[in-house]
Amino acid sequence: MPTILGQNQYGKAENRVVKITRDGATHHIKDLNVSVSLSGDMDEVHYSGSNASVLPTDTTKNTVYAFAKEHGIDSAEQFGIHLARHFVTSRQPIHRARIRVEEYAWERIETSGEAEHSFVRRGQEVRLTQITYDGSSWEVVSGLKDLVVMNSTDSEFRGFVKDRYTTLKEARDRILATEVSGRWRFNWTDDEQPMPDWEESYARTKEHLLQAFAETYSLSLQQTLYQMGARIIDHRGEIDEVRFSLPNKHHFLVDLEPFGLENDTADGAVYFAADRPYGLIEATILRDGCAARIPVDLTRL
Amino acid sequence: MPTILGQNQYGKAENRVVKITRDGATHHIKDLNVSVSLSGDMDEVHYSGSNASVLPTDTTKNTVYAFAKEHGIDSAEQFGIHLARHFVTSRQPIHRARIRVEEYAWERIETSGEAEHSFVRRGQEVRLTQITYDGSSWEVVSGLKDLVVMNSTDSEFRGFVKDRYTTLKEARDRILATEVSGRWRFNWTDDEQPMPDWEESYARTKEHLLQAFAETYSLSLQQTLYQMGARIIDHRGEIDEVRFSLPNKHHFLVDLEPFGLENDTADGAVYFAADRPYGLIEATILRDGCAARIPVDLTRL
Amino acid sequence: MPTILGQNQYGKAENRVVKITRDGATHHIKDLNVSVSLSGDMDEVHYSGSNASVLPTDTTKNTVYAFAKEHGIDSAEQFGIHLARHFVTSRQPIHRARIRVEEYAWERIETSGEAEHSFVRRGQEVRLTQITYDGSSWEVVSGLKDLVVMNSTDSEFRGFVKDRYTTLKEARDRILATEVSGRWRFNWTDDEQPMPDWEESYARTKEHLLQAFAETYSLSLQQTLYQMGARIIDHRGEIDEVRFSLPNKHHFLVDLEPFGLENDTADGAVYFAADRPYGLIEATILRDGCAARIPVDLTRL
Amino acid sequence: MPTILGQNQYGKAENRVVKITRDGATHHIKDLNVSVSLSGDMDEVHYSGSNASVLPTDTTKNTVYAFAKEHGIDSAEQFGIHLARHFVTSRQPIHRARIRVEEYAWERIETSGEAEHSFVRRGQEVRLTQITYDGSSWEVVSGLKDLVVMNSTDSEFRGFVKDRYTTLKEARDRILATEVSGRWRFNWTDDEQPMPDWEESYARTKEHLLQAFAETYSLSLQQTLYQMGARIIDHRGEIDEVRFSLPNKHHFLVDLEPFGLENDTADGAVYFAADRPYGLIEATILRDGCAARIPVDLTRL
């Protein structure tokens, strides 16, 4: 046979699960999008179509909903760990499970009454996690996407290489804006280790990321990116690796000279917010001595 | 000639303009997407291709940026009024201008320093306004879209009509969730009238809308919709008409009986959040005695 | 009561229905997205939440699927007519039904065997129709969206108005590209009239639209738009009104002079395809003597 | 220093370039979206913000447009090879270049005249390629996305594993539909080797993929996926590795029993086309003896 099967995985993607817990009149909400991906001894289904080792993707969906009821959802990470362990330990042909979760945040609507069951979706960023388990060790990579940030000053871009195709002018004051997509890998890998506080870790990591973005006087987006990652590694002992993919959301000063108007970055600057093309800056920041495991290309979930 | 020209309009759509104003180290941001649409004596360009009456769409774009510099952006509404007045009064063949604006909200990133030039996009809803001017009277319709809200209880759906095709069970306790798209029309139509405080009006109207959603014990989404509109009309004297388009974002209780699990709306309910199809409830609420002018189908901008 | 209810409608939107018919080994596919919207005596459900006149949106969904089985889907238009008639004539409080349909086209995959049950989605445009019925007369508006077309020459833009904000250069040769969104209204309004051949009408109308776009030497996009509509009215007696919304998908000649390269519209021109902003040209073309009924803003379905 | 820099890359993403070549009155179009990503000695820009080794992303954009003029666009692959070679060989600090290209296909609009300059976008799939060069060897991975296909019969799913959470019924006749995302790696790695005919290779590979999908009697989507990949490897000697990501676009038979209607897969079956969740089947197929290099998660471009 001239062809062989390589890496393969399967499961049910994008199971939308909402869980409401009630503490008297005060309700709490968890709103997740859960994707299951399983690997193992699956050669036969590819070669001959025999499903004898295949747990249906429909079953993985049912399991997600049943586990939300049976075990609750303390955090996206904890929920993913429950699921991954179940698939790997309960089904012999399955050797590896990867659970990806998107989480959508809600805040309460202020009302005059006592009731606390009304919510409005925050919409600022989507929280992410990916749990991988092979029966012996864990990999937990969490992160976020769609977080749009801007510094309206304290950003330069100068001293760069010029070649035959360079026309860009140096900038001493520009807008720096990006839509953060970030992932961070935890050094928790073993059931024997104490588990991080996933909720606290996410809240603090997002805070560090935002503050490093805001407080760095930027000579390049690469430098800002590095500061964002280094700040996380420095402050969060549970995280060993961070990767960011940062589009440079260009804001160009509009040329208003033809209309007799000066438009510089002093007070009252008017910018055109461009769509495409955009600079794209990507890098990994590591705790010294740690190996990189987050893929170069950050994917959707 | 057997064919004739009917209503027509043209302009530059989706001009993305960002303006930064500086109050010492404290910066302020206005982030708009502005679309211009002009009508008037434009028969010839359609019939023969003569552009003798056509102000280029490129010029309307330039005007947006120049006006952001010259006149500033106090509010989306005020900015649209400036632009509409300019196009109708400065160009003889143009009889009507319609300016549509999307506005994106930003909040400050908390930092340890004094500087106030760092922002994160809120992402909760997109604010909208549409200004129409024909040289004598104004129509201002503002609104929002993409505002996702949920009540986790205090919603029923019972006592409905049953026909041959009805299988739905009555519900005494369900999730009510929707993505609000709303428009409200101001009774300011004339330069002689005092102009509303557009920023204040928007903030209060959004608040009323949210509170009416949260505080209504809902027997149907139609009833909730009506309460949301009536609350606005009752409290905001500057608004005469409201229209909502409310998709019923269905959250179905998952059937967990096959797995020996009870899943009702008491504590710990697990729901499947569905995408399509969805109920779609649309209605206009009017101040008594006022005529309806907002179109039946709410459009994008 | 200071507020009153205005226009209102409700129903189930985006019912995705696929029907496979078999002619021996040769299969045929109809792939639709159907949205139902009903109006009538619905004051009480808005004012008090009484559902005594409300046929659930869930029932309208069931009806779509049941009708696909019982009556088949000869065409999107015919299917919508069946549904609209049913809702208006079978339920007393419902006075008006509006059915919107998107249709997705598939073509066959060529295979070596006899079987004809394999398809690939065409993806070129989405076909649309909207059926409105009030118990006595019909309005059928069909159309399409997402049809992207380009002329790589035979387009000018000159002789336009210049004002203080005009910087655009005249163009004697440019790319003209747009993404066609069009709607056309049939003069079939009465069950007594012979019904058009909906499939044939759509195929020919799309052909006329494309050929008018291709064959018009364009002095402005407005002129091209008018020719597209006039060609349809001239050739298709069943259609009285056409409306187009045509974004001018700008393709800008890239300035390569800084690199010592000439880049004009002669052989080998290189263009930057821009996203935003874009010109937006919208107009109605009517058979002489007919009234306009298609709304100014074309909406999604 | 407790943190260090890992893999990093930067460049300008999504440069939209359209090139028109003229052969008398017959025009030809190439419509690409080109993303550049460069790596090399870039530590300093991350650590200190020094741009002394940084060729601006704006320059990489200019290079894309200038090369389209100077060297033409024979194929997406050939164009990417030109660009990658340029960046790696012309700038000392750059050691690796990755060029990603999306290509959009257009077909001619049939007209009565001689002119051949009118086009309509096909819309069926997006063609992809990724060129990576490190100064000595090449990796070319091409592919496609958004190609939606369906078999309306000749698909079963039976004999699968059942556990506590399994409720799925076995299916002897079902719709099999997916949206193909595929990548294939060429064994051309060296300038000494004869280069494949990239256009011919793409056309044939797409054909094999479609025919294998259509002609396989499917016992599982995994089996169909494998056949699609194996068919390509068998017939295209220039390709050593294929990876597919195939969402199972579920079409569920609607239960019409409550309305007294039978709905099975015999003639006239009515299906509900679901959005989420969906099965997701992913696998690599390799020429025997070759190593896998395409990442497990297929990314956007």
Side-chain angles (χ1 to χ4, degrees):
Chain A
M1 188 178 52
T3 59
I4 56 164
L5 181 68
Q7 199 278 353
N8 59 88
Q9 55 191 14
Y10 83 103
K12 194 70 101 191
E14 303 211 35
N15 299 283
R16 293 281 292 105
V17 56
V18 171
K19 175 150 193 170
I20 305 293
T21 48
R22 300 186 174 201
D23 179 10
T26 302
H27 290 202
H28 303 275
I29 179 173
K30 277 284 178 184
D31 184 359
L32 307 183
N33 189 14
V34 180
S35 294
V36 174
S37 206
L38 309 177
S39 325
D41 295 334
M42 297 291 159
D43 284 12
E44 269 318 300
V45 64
H46 291 87
Y47 290 140
S48 72
S50 160
N51 293 302
S53 297
V54 177
L55 188 71
T57 65
D58 186 76
T59 301
T60 68
K61 176 196 72 180
N62 288 345
T63 310
V64 168
Y65 288 109
F67 269 49
K69 186 71 194 179
E70 284 184 288
H71 305 291
I73 304 175
D74 287 335
S75 66
E77 285 83 357
Q78 178 67 69
F79 188 58
I81 288 167
H82 269 305
L83 284 167
R85 190 191 307 275
H86 165 77
F87 289 118
V88 172
T89 57
S90 70
R91 303 293 342 151
Q92 191 266 323
I94 298 171
H95 301 163
R96 202 188 72 117
R98 187 183 75 186
I99 310 297
R100 288 177 159 184
V101 187
E102 292 192 341
E103 180 170 354
Y104 314 110
W106 296 78
E107 55 192 41
R108 292 187 189 283
I109 299 174
E110 302 277 329
T111 61
S112 51
E114 302 289 293
E116 300 262 326
H117 58 252
S118 296
F119 305 90
V120 56
R121 197 161 145 174
R122 291 205 73 213
Q124 191 166 88
E125 90 273 11
V126 175
R127 178 175 167 180
L128 305 170
T129 196
Q130 172 182 293
I131 311 295
T132 314
Y133 184 54
D134 62 4
S136 63
S137 92
W138 295 94
E139 186 190 82
V140 181
V141 176
S142 294
L144 55 75
K145 64 174 183 177
D146 301 345
L147 184 74
V148 183
V149 293
M150 176 192 290
N151 288 324
S152 54
T153 189
D154 284 7
S155 167
E156 309 184 0
F157 187 54
R158 299 189 292 136
F160 45 76
V161 174
K162 279 112 192 156
D163 75 3
R164 182 187 157 197
Y165 298 108
T166 302
T167 54
L168 188 73
K169 300 280 170 287
E170 305 214 323
R172 289 185 171 274
D173 190 7
R174 61 171 191 174
I175 282 183
L176 189 71
T178 186
E179 182 181 306
V180 181
S181 186
R183 304 290 185 278
W184 40 89
R185 186 171 51 80
F186 292 89
N187 46 35
W188 181 84
T189 57
D190 193 307
D191 285 312
E192 305 302 306
Q193 288 173 270
M195 212 178 263
D197 179 336
W198 306 110
E199 301 292 75
E200 171 77 8
S201 178
Y202 180 80
R204 292 293 83 73
T205 300
K206 181 182 163 188
E207 226 169 75
H208 287 301
L209 173 171
L210 283 173
Q211 285 174 4
F213 175 81
E215 295 173 3
T216 302
Y217 185 100
S218 178
L219 302 174
S220 72
L221 183 47
Q222 280 91 331
Q223 181 204 19
T224 295
L225 181 156
Y226 187 78
Q227 288 301 317
M228 291 162 69
R231 177 92 63 121
I232 294 170
I233 302 272
D234 282 352
H235 287 79
R236 304 303 309 174
E238 73 274 24
I239 295 172
D240 275 357
E241 180 185 9
V242 180
R243 187 166 178 89
F244 286 114
S245 175
L246 300 186
N248 195 340
K249 292 176 75 74
H250 303 302
H251 286 71
F252 297 114
L253 267 179
V254 183
D255 177 13
L256 300 175
E257 256 192 50
F259 323 124
L261 298 166
E262 223 176 310
N263 188 35
D264 55 30
T265 57
D267 185 38
V270 173
Y271 298 88
F272 163 60
D275 294 313
R276 295 192 296 183
Y278 49 90
L280 184 59
I281 312 297
E282 302 172 289
T284 294
I285 303 95
L286 290 160
R287 188 176 300 283
D288 203 3
C290 295
R293 296 187 193 283
I294 302 177
V296 162
D297 290 300
L298 302 183
T299 46
R300 196 171 154 275
L301 264 175
Chain B
M1 188 177 51
T3 60
I4 56 163
L5 181 68
Q7 200 278 353
N8 58 87
Q9 56 191 12
Y10 83 104
K12 194 69 101 192
E14 303 210 36
N15 300 284
R16 293 281 290 107
V17 56
V18 171
K19 174 150 192 170
I20 306 294
T21 48
R22 299 184 175 203
D23 180 8
T26 302
H27 290 204
H28 303 275
I29 178 172
K30 278 284 179 184
D31 184 359
L32 308 182
N33 188 15
V34 180
S35 295
V36 174
S37 204
L38 308 176
S39 325
D41 295 335
M42 297 291 158
D43 284 12
E44 269 317 302
V45 64
H46 291 87
Y47 290 140
S48 72
S50 160
N51 294 303
S53 298
V54 177
L55 188 70
T57 65
D58 186 77
T59 301
T60 68
K61 176 196 72 180
N62 289 344
T63 310
V64 168
Y65 288 108
F67 269 48
K69 185 72 194 179
E70 283 183 289
H71 304 292
I73 304 173
D74 286 335
S75 65
E77 285 83 358
Q78 178 66 69
F79 187 59
I81 288 167
H82 269 305
L83 284 166
R85 190 190 307 275
H86 165 78
F87 289 118
V88 171
T89 57
S90 70
R91 305 296 337 156
Q92 192 267 324
I94 297 170
H95 300 163
R96 201 188 73 116
R98 187 185 75 186
I99 311 295
R100 289 177 160 185
V101 187
E102 291 191 342
E103 180 170 354
Y104 314 110
W106 296 77
E107 56 192 40
R108 293 189 189 282
I109 299 174
E110 302 278 329
T111 61
S112 52
E114 302 288 293
E116 300 262 325
H117 59 251
S118 297
F119 305 90
V120 56
R121 197 160 146 175
R122 289 205 72 215
Q124 191 166 89
E125 89 273 12
V126 174
R127 178 175 167 181
L128 305 170
T129 195
Q130 172 182 293
I131 311 294
T132 314
Y133 185 54
D134 63 4
S136 63
S137 92
W138 295 94
E139 186 190 85
V140 182
V141 176
S142 295
L144 55 77
K145 65 174 182 178
D146 300 345
L147 184 73
V148 183
V149 292
M150 174 192 291
N151 288 324
S152 54
T153 188
D154 284 8
S155 167
E156 308 184 0
F157 187 55
R158 297 188 295 136
F160 46 76
V161 175
K162 279 114 192 156
D163 75 3
R164 181 189 159 196
Y165 298 108
T166 303
T167 54
L168 189 72
K169 300 281 171 285
E170 305 214 322
R172 288 184 173 274
D173 190 6
R174 61 170 190 174
I175 281 184
L176 189 70
T178 186
E179 182 182 306
V180 181
S181 185
R183 304 289 185 279
W184 39 90
R185 187 172 50 79
F186 292 89
N187 46 35
W188 181 84
T189 58
D190 193 306
D191 285 311
E192 304 303 306
Q193 288 173 269
M195 212 178 263
D197 178 337
W198 306 109
E199 301 292 75
E200 172 77 7
S201 178
Y202 180 79
R204 293 292 84 72
T205 300
K206 181 183 164 188
E207 223 169 77
H208 287 301
L209 173 171
L210 283 174
Q211 284 174 5
F213 175 81
E215 295 173 2
T216 301
Y217 186 101
S218 179
L219 302 173
S220 72
L221 183 48
Q222 280 91 331
Q223 181 205 18
T224 294
L225 181 157
Y226 187 79
Q227 287 302 317
M228 291 162 69
R231 176 94 62 121
I232 294 170
I233 302 273
D234 282 352
H235 287 79
R236 303 304 309 174
E238 72 274 22
I239 295 171
D240 276 357
E241 180 185 8
V242 180
R243 188 166 177 89
F244 285 115
S245 176
L246 300 185
N248 196 339
K249 292 175 76 72
H250 304 303
H251 287 70
F252 297 114
L253 267 178
V254 183
D255 177 11
L256 300 175
E257 256 192 49
F259 323 124
L261 299 166
E262 224 176 311
N263 188 34
D264 56 30
T265 58
D267 184 38
V270 173
Y271 298 88
F272 163 61
D275 295 312
R276 295 192 294 183
Y278 49 89
L280 184 58
I281 312 297
E282 302 172 289
T284 294
I285 303 95
L286 290 160
R287 189 175 298 284
D288 203 3
C290 295
R293 297 186 193 284
I294 302 177
V296 161
D297 290 300
L298 302 183
T299 45
R300 195 169 154 278
L301 264 174
Chain C
M1 189 177 48
T3 58
I4 56 162
L5 181 68
Q7 199 278 354
N8 59 87
Q9 56 191 16
Y10 83 104
K12 193 70 98 191
E14 303 210 34
N15 300 284
R16 294 280 291 104
V17 56
V18 171
K19 175 150 191 169
I20 305 293
T21 48
R22 300 185 175 202
D23 181 9
T26 302
H27 290 203
H28 303 275
I29 178 172
K30 278 284 180 184
D31 184 0
L32 307 182
N33 189 14
V34 180
S35 293
V36 174
S37 205
L38 308 176
S39 322
D41 294 335
M42 297 290 158
D43 284 14
E44 269 318 301
V45 65
H46 292 87
Y47 290 142
S48 72
S50 160
N51 294 302
S53 298
V54 177
L55 187 70
T57 66
D58 186 74
T59 301
T60 68
K61 176 197 72 180
N62 289 345
T63 310
V64 168
Y65 288 108
F67 269 48
K69 184 73 193 176
E70 283 184 289
H71 304 292
I73 304 174
D74 286 334
S75 66
E77 285 83 357
Q78 178 67 67
F79 187 60
I81 288 168
H82 269 305
L83 285 165
R85 190 190 307 274
H86 165 78
F87 289 119
V88 172
T89 57
S90 70
R91 304 298 337 155
Q92 193 268 323
I94 297 171
H95 300 163
R96 200 188 72 117
R98 187 185 75 186
I99 311 296
R100 289 177 160 185
V101 186
E102 291 191 344
E103 181 171 354
Y104 314 111
W106 297 76
E107 56 192 40
R108 293 189 189 281
I109 299 175
E110 302 276 330
T111 61
S112 51
E114 302 289 292
E116 300 261 326
H117 59 252
S118 296
F119 305 89
V120 55
R121 198 162 146 174
R122 288 205 73 213
Q124 190 166 89
E125 90 273 12
V126 175
R127 178 175 167 180
L128 306 169
T129 196
Q130 172 181 292
I131 311 294
T132 314
Y133 185 55
D134 63 4
S136 63
S137 90
W138 296 94
E139 187 190 83
V140 181
V141 176
S142 296
L144 54 76
K145 64 174 181 177
D146 301 346
L147 184 73
V148 183
V149 292
M150 174 192 291
N151 288 324
S152 54
T153 190
D154 283 6
S155 167
E156 309 185 0
F157 187 54
R158 298 188 295 134
F160 46 74
V161 174
K162 279 110 192 158
D163 76 1
R164 182 189 158 196
Y165 298 109
T166 302
T167 54
L168 188 72
K169 300 283 172 285
E170 305 214 322
R172 289 184 172 272
D173 189 7
R174 62 171 188 173
I175 281 184
L176 188 70
T178 186
E179 181 181 306
V180 182
S181 185
R183 303 289 185 279
W184 39 90
R185 186 171 51 78
F186 292 88
N187 46 34
W188 181 84
T189 58
D190 193 308
D191 285 311
E192 305 302 306
Q193 289 174 268
M195 212 178 263
D197 178 337
W198 306 110
E199 301 292 75
E200 171 76 8
S201 178
Y202 180 78
R204 292 293 83 74
T205 300
K206 182 183 163 190
E207 225 169 75
H208 287 301
L209 175 169
L210 284 174
Q211 285 173 5
F213 175 81
E215 295 173 3
T216 302
Y217 186 101
S218 178
L219 302 173
S220 72
L221 183 48
Q222 281 91 330
Q223 181 204 18
T224 295
L225 181 156
Y226 187 77
Q227 288 301 318
M228 291 162 68
R231 176 94 61 122
I232 294 171
I233 303 272
D234 282 352
H235 287 79
R236 304 303 310 173
E238 73 274 22
I239 296 172
D240 275 358
E241 180 185 9
V242 181
R243 188 166 178 89
F244 285 114
S245 176
L246 300 186
N248 195 339
K249 293 177 75 73
H250 304 302
H251 286 72
F252 297 115
L253 266 178
V254 183
D255 177 12
L256 300 176
E257 256 193 49
F259 322 125
L261 300 166
E262 225 176 309
N263 188 34
D264 55 30
T265 57
D267 185 39
V270 173
Y271 298 88
F272 163 60
D275 295 313
R276 295 192 295 184
Y278 49 90
L280 185 58
I281 312 297
E282 301 172 290
T284 295
I285 302 95
L286 290 160
R287 188 176 299 283
D288 203 3
C290 295
R293 294 186 194 284
I294 302 177
V296 161
D297 290 301
L298 301 184
T299 46
R300 196 173 154 278
L301 265 176
Chain D
M1 188 178 48
T3 58
I4 56 163
L5 181 68
Q7 199 278 353
N8 60 87
Q9 55 191 15
Y10 82 104
K12 194 70 100 190
E14 302 210 34
N15 299 284
R16 293 281 291 105
V17 56
V18 171
K19 174 149 192 169
I20 305 294
T21 47
R22 299 185 176 202
D23 179 10
T26 302
H27 290 203
H28 302 275
I29 178 172
K30 277 284 179 184
D31 185 359
L32 307 182
N33 189 14
V34 180
S35 295
V36 174
S37 205
L38 308 177
S39 324
D41 294 335
M42 297 290 158
D43 284 14
E44 268 318 301
V45 64
H46 292 87
Y47 289 140
S48 72
S50 160
N51 294 302
S53 299
V54 176
L55 187 71
T57 66
D58 186 76
T59 301
T60 68
K61 177 196 71 180
N62 289 345
T63 309
V64 168
Y65 287 108
F67 269 48
K69 185 71 193 177
E70 284 184 288
H71 305 292
I73 304 174
D74 286 334
S75 65
E77 285 83 357
Q78 177 67 68
F79 187 59
I81 288 167
H82 269 305
L83 284 166
R85 190 191 306 274
H86 165 78
F87 289 119
V88 172
T89 57
S90 71
R91 305 296 339 152
Q92 192 268 323
I94 297 170
H95 300 164
R96 201 188 72 117
R98 188 185 73 187
I99 311 296
R100 288 177 161 185
V101 187
E102 290 191 343
E103 180 170 355
Y104 314 111
W106 297 76
E107 56 191 40
R108 294 190 188 281
I109 299 175
E110 302 277 329
T111 61
S112 51
E114 303 288 293
E116 300 263 326
H117 58 252
S118 296
F119 305 90
V120 56
R121 195 160 146 174
R122 290 206 72 212
Q124 190 166 90
E125 91 273 11
V126 175
R127 177 175 168 181
L128 306 169
T129 196
Q130 172 182 293
I131 310 296
T132 314
Y133 184 54
D134 62 4
S136 64
S137 90
W138 296 93
E139 187 189 83
V140 181
V141 176
S142 295
L144 54 77
K145 63 174 183 176
D146 300 346
L147 183 74
V148 183
V149 292
M150 174 192 291
N151 289 323
S152 54
T153 190
D154 283 7
S155 167
E156 308 184 2
F157 187 54
R158 299 188 294 135
F160 45 75
V161 174
K162 279 111 192 158
D163 75 1
R164 182 188 158 196
Y165 297 108
T166 302
T167 55
L168 188 72
K169 300 282 171 286
E170 305 214 324
R172 289 186 171 271
D173 189 8
R174 62 171 189 173
I175 281 184
L176 188 72
T178 186
E179 182 181 306
V180 181
S181 185
R183 304 289 185 278
W184 40 91
R185 186 171 52 79
F186 292 88
N187 46 35
W188 181 85
T189 59
D190 194 309
D191 285 310
E192 305 303 307
Q193 289 173 268
M195 214 179 259
D197 178 336
W198 307 109
E199 301 292 74
E200 171 77 6
S201 177
Y202 180 78
R204 291 293 83 74
T205 301
K206 182 183 164 191
E207 226 169 74
H208 287 301
L209 173 171
L210 284 174
Q211 284 173 4
F213 175 80
E215 295 173 3
T216 302
Y217 186 101
S218 179
L219 302 174
S220 73
L221 183 48
Q222 280 91 331
Q223 180 204 17
T224 295
L225 182 156
Y226 187 77
Q227 287 302 318
M228 291 163 68
R231 176 94 62 122
I232 293 171
I233 303 272
D234 283 351
H235 287 78
R236 304 304 308 173
E238 72 275 23
I239 296 172
D240 275 357
E241 180 185 8
V242 180
R243 188 167 177 87
F244 285 114
S245 176
L246 301 186
N248 195 339
K249 293 177 74 74
H250 303 302
H251 287 71
F252 298 114
L253 267 179
V254 183
D255 177 12
L256 300 175
E257 255 192 49
F259 322 125
L261 299 167
E262 223 176 310
N263 188 34
D264 54 31
T265 56
D267 185 39
V270 173
Y271 298 88
F272 163 60
D275 294 313
R276 295 192 294 184
Y278 49 90
L280 184 58
I281 312 297
E282 302 172 291
T284 294
I285 302 96
L286 290 161
R287 188 176 299 283
D288 202 3
C290 295
R293 296 188 193 283
I294 302 178
V296 161
D297 290 300
L298 301 184
T299 47
R300 197 173 152 277
L301 264 176

